[in-house]
Amino acid sequence: MADFLQAVLERVVIYDGAMGTNIQFRNPSVDDFWGKEGCNELLVLSRPDIIKDIHTSFFAVGCDVVETNTFGATRVVLAEYDLHDKVAELNIAAAKIAKEVAQQFSTKDQPRFVAGSIGPTTKLPRSAISDSTTWSQDISNRPAL
């Protein structure tokens, strides 16, 4: 965190662009989504090569920060795909992928960073709360990255 704050103090820090647009540009198939078409977050498990390629493309053109492919990796959104039980798994996988690519591009003079992307969390479908598990309980036992 100190390196990031130092970078922000010294210069303009450039973030990546639109993950969703870049995913669609690569034209993933329904099979790539494991039949859950439109669930871009699932690609961190089914097609991590696509996500790595997108992160790589952003760093290659000079971005300092990439955002994880987790905009919709919340119980709210994943419940629409009946994947609300995969919140932790998808978020952890996305963070690991982004961190791996960032490390490949980082140098002492130009460290690269990863920021978590968090999307809508305002409406929780009944199906997502059918058990008593809460988000805070889900993440309390997550493994370290």
Side-chain angles (χ1 to χ4, degrees):
M1 180 64 112
D3 289 344
F4 178 74
L5 295 175
Q6 187 62 40
V8 170
L9 287 172
E10 294 173 358
R11 60 188 167 80
V12 173
V13 175
I14 308 297
Y15 273 68
D16 62 3
M19 176 62 79
T21 302
N22 279 277
I23 287 171
Q24 295 311 309
F25 177 72
R26 285 156 177 83
N27 200 26
S29 70
V30 175
D31 289 339
D32 292 335
F33 290 104
W34 291 344
K36 308 284 187 179
E37 189 171 14
C39 186
N40 289 342
E41 295 72 23
L42 194 53
L43 296 173
V44 301
L45 300 178
S46 65
R47 290 294 308 273
D49 58 303
I50 290 175
I51 305 307
K52 285 179 186 178
D53 183 56
I54 293 169
H55 291 320
T56 297
S57 70
F58 284 124
F59 284 132
V61 296
C63 288
D64 299 296
V65 183
V66 294
E67 295 181 33
T68 56
N69 182 39
T70 55
F71 183 78
T74 63
R75 288 179 70 89
V76 174
V77 175
L78 294 176
E80 296 174 21
Y81 300 96
D82 196 27
L83 294 170
H84 55 276
D85 59 332
K86 298 248 184 234
V87 171
E89 182 180 2
L90 291 169
N91 279 280
I92 290 167
K96 285 181 178 180
I97 290 168
K99 184 177 176 181
E100 175 188 323
V101 177
Q103 288 173 338
Q104 292 171 3
F105 280 85
S106 287
T107 66
K108 183 178 183 203
D109 294 330
Q110 187 174 10
R112 303 300 176 92
F113 306 98
V114 173
S117 178
I118 302 171
T121 59
T122 58
K123 181 180 173 190
L124 193 59
R126 189 174 285 289
S127 63
I129 57 173
S130 60
D131 61 34
S132 61
T133 304
T134 64
W135 170 246
S136 62
Q137 289 169 331
D138 285 350
I139 65 169
S140 65
N141 294 318
R142 71 177 190 261
L145 296 178

